[in-house]
Amino acid sequence: MKVTIESLRSDILKDIADISGENVAECYQCGKCTAACPVNQAMDILPHQVLRLLQLGLVDEVMNSKTIWICASCFTCAGRCPRDVDLANVMEAVRVLLLRERGASRIKAEDMPEILRKGMPEQGIVSGFRKYAK
Amino acid sequence: MRYSYYPGCTLKTSAAVLEESALNAAKALGIELVEQEEWQCCGAVFPLATDEIASFLSSVRSLDAARSAGEKLVTICAACHHVIKRANHVIQSDGEVRDKVNNYLELDNYYSGQGEAIHYLEMLRDDLGFDKLAEQVKEPLTGRKIAAYYGCLLLRPAKVMQFDDAEDPSIMEDYLSALGATPVEYPYRTECCGVYLSVNNEEIAAGMVKKIINSARRSGAEAIVNACPLCHYNLLELQDKTPQGEPVLPVYYFTELLEEALGVKREVEEKTR
Ligand code: SF4
Ligand code: SF4
């Protein structure tokens, strides 16, 4: 990991800020978001670390993480953040950029009959496609 | 009491029990829920990316139609309510999005967020009143220890949803008390069930469900109620089963108990899945 002036000025950081509407510099690393997160055990980078990496312009670490796909958009972190950072929005912005620009879809239409057969409600299927596919 | 009613896709399909029980109970309470003539899927998840404006169109169409009818817009599905209520908040607070949505929809009157989206439970608490509800209970659920599961979507973000105290809610317990049941409070009642993680990360969702179910059981619950088809699926399908293949903790929609307490329970056919 190397922090450079270029990485701090990258377009992609600006895109994340625009799409999420959040300013990652507001975060002061207290860790309340991570403590609140119900899926932190399954994550490779913890919620507060996502923000630290983005503050340092280390976007690739975040984009290549499992964490952004494990975040369940449960909004618990945002409710506890003393700096009013909405991490769920930041996670979404990173996912959206990967899905839109790098074709990173995680589910396929072919998989759906099997998932539907298990009784998954329509709401789940639509949510899955909205979150994991373009 | 008369309301515009937005059902959403899942209540017309796999969660038909939720709609049928809610409408049946409303009828018994003398509440008229008039299904909107034209409604479209809310999109199931609220668009967190600020540039996804098209996702607001369906919500605004329904909100505007309810406003034109002079009625509040009632939803039963927690996810639909979440999406519609947050969309209304964006329309109220973001002028740029508001203009774009209005330009696209070409409504008869400019929509600036005057509509009011409420959840069925809020309708019972704030408009009918739980005390009045209790008076109409014919078959109280005496002695039944029921755990309310809130999940995420009704409560958070608290500033927008304004449903209840997001860290220590009581509306569902108060509702259960009105029905004569004994509400069981347990630590995990507001924790996420894994939502859409069950689509392709089932193990992670199952771990989350396990914590919720164990927490409710340890607190003495004999059943758990919820208001969301996806929570319902996760809590039911991803929990441990008894050796006979039964769920260790039965899962109901909150409206199923309402029908029962009002003495209007229908014979529900076994769902074929
Ligand atoms: S809770 Fe807020 S300020 Fe604290 S580490 Fe998380 S994002 Fe940063
Ligand atoms: S929104 Fe995502 S990061 Fe935040 S607490 Fe929920 S799962 Fe964790």
Side-chain angles (χ1 to χ4, degrees):
Chain A
M1 287 188 226
K2 194 167 157 210
V3 180
T4 62
I5 296 290
E6 289 71 41
S7 63
L8 286 169
R9 286 188 186 144
S10 80
D11 288 344
I12 198 135
L13 271 182
K14 202 176 156 298
D15 288 345
I16 292 172
D18 286 347
I19 294 174
S20 68
E22 301 297 320
N23 177 7
V24 297
E26 287 288 326
C27 165
Y28 59 18
Q29 290 290 292
C30 66
K32 281 185 100 172
C33 48
T34 295
C37 178
V39 258
N40 57 18
Q41 286 151 327
M43 290 174 164
D44 51 356
I45 300 173
L46 294 169
H48 72 286
Q49 292 173 329
V50 167
L51 287 160
R52 188 65 183 145
L53 288 165
L54 293 176
Q55 286 173 343
L56 297 173
L58 298 168
V59 180
D60 287 345
E61 273 78 0
V62 175
M63 289 201 134
N64 295 328
S65 72
K66 284 196 218 150
T67 292
I68 53 164
W69 302 107
I70 288 173
C71 166
S73 306
C74 73
F75 314 118
T76 314
C77 50
R80 308 247 173 106
C81 175
R83 300 289 297 159
D84 244 342
V85 178
D86 194 328
L87 184 49
N89 291 349
V90 176
M91 299 276 198
E92 180 91 344
V94 178
R95 279 192 297 268
V96 155
L97 283 170
L98 284 166
L99 290 170
R100 287 182 193 166
E101 291 173 16
R102 301 192 193 168
S105 291
R106 317 280 285 190
I107 54 175
K108 296 192 231 46
E110 299 90 90
D111 303 334
M112 286 310 121
E114 172 64 19
I115 293 174
L116 270 170
R117 202 184 51 74
K118 290 198 254 179
M120 172 69 67
E122 292 67 19
Q123 175 202 353
I125 304 282
V126 177
S127 306
F129 272 97
R130 295 281 310 279
K131 288 288 181 178
Y132 296 135
K134 197 186 148 201
Chain B
M1 299 200 302
R2 187 185 149 107
Y3 299 90
S4 293
Y5 161 53
Y6 175 95
C9 310
T10 311
L11 268 63
K12 293 294 181 189
T13 46
S14 56
V17 177
L18 177 53
E19 172 172 67
E20 288 158 10
S21 53
L23 295 184
N24 187 37
K27 205 167 121 209
L29 290 167
I31 298 171
E32 218 182 325
L33 293 177
V34 185
E35 182 172 329
Q36 295 193 302
E37 268 172 36
E38 287 180 37
W39 56 265
Q40 295 149 331
C41 174
C42 70
V45 288
F46 178 77
L48 299 177
T50 54
D51 56 356
E52 261 184 55
I53 292 172
S55 307
F56 296 128
L57 300 178
S58 137
S59 296
V60 173
R61 277 194 192 98
S62 279
L63 283 160
D64 178 64
R67 186 249 335 226
S68 304
E71 292 164 354
K72 293 181 189 174
L73 182 61
V74 170
T75 47
I76 304 167
C77 168
C80 295
H81 176 63
H82 179 90
V83 171
I84 294 172
K85 178 122 191 193
R86 289 187 77 176
N88 207 26
H89 180 258
V90 172
I91 297 294
Q92 287 163 356
S93 55
D94 186 328
E96 199 185 322
V97 175
R98 181 163 66 231
D99 283 343
K100 281 186 180 161
V101 167
N102 273 283
N103 285 341
Y104 186 87
L105 287 176
E106 297 181 339
L107 303 166
D108 293 341
N109 294 298
Y110 187 88
Y111 185 76
S112 52
Q114 314 93 314
E116 196 180 341
I118 61 167
H119 186 261
Y120 191 97
L121 276 167
E122 292 175 304
M123 173 186 83
L124 296 180
R125 178 190 60 189
D126 305 332
D127 293 358
L128 178 67
F130 284 153
D131 49 342
K132 292 278 174 321
L133 174 62
E135 286 169 15
Q136 305 216 38
V137 166
K138 303 226 164 50
E139 292 172 30
L141 311 176
T142 314
R144 302 256 296 271
K145 294 186 184 143
I146 314 286
Y149 175 68
Y150 288 86
C152 311
L153 300 176
L154 291 173
L155 295 173
R156 298 185 285 268
K159 269 182 250 161
V160 179
M161 297 311 296
Q162 300 190 349
F163 184 76
D164 204 343
D165 181 334
E167 299 287 356
D168 187 19
S170 61
I171 176 170
M172 287 176 96
E173 284 80 11
D174 294 344
Y175 163 78
L176 290 167
S177 298
L179 303 187
T182 306
V184 173
E185 274 199 39
Y186 60 106
Y188 278 80
R189 65 205 171 107
T190 64
E191 285 264 331
C192 178
C193 70
V195 273
Y196 49 80
L197 291 179
S198 53
V199 176
N200 71 349
N201 265 317
E202 197 179 275
E203 270 168 48
I204 298 177
M208 298 161 87
V209 166
K210 198 182 184 115
K211 286 186 191 155
I212 296 163
I213 296 288
N214 286 348
S215 170
R217 288 183 76 207
R218 268 200 302 273
S219 304
E222 57 192 56
I224 192 164
V225 292
N226 76 96
C228 170
L230 189 49
C231 296
H232 194 81
Y233 170 85
N234 287 349
L235 292 175
L236 190 61
E237 303 298 333
L238 305 185
Q239 65 164 284
D240 291 338
K241 302 291 182 315
T242 64
Q244 292 76 38
E246 296 293 319
V248 294
L249 192 65
V251 184
Y252 299 113
Y253 287 118
F254 73 103
T255 46
E256 294 182 84
L257 296 189
L258 181 57
E259 270 189 308
E260 200 183 325
L262 294 173
V264 294
K265 198 169 162 65
R266 301 149 305 129
E267 287 305 317
V268 182
E269 284 171 47
E270 264 312 296
K271 260 193 289 173
T272 42
R273 267 188 181 164

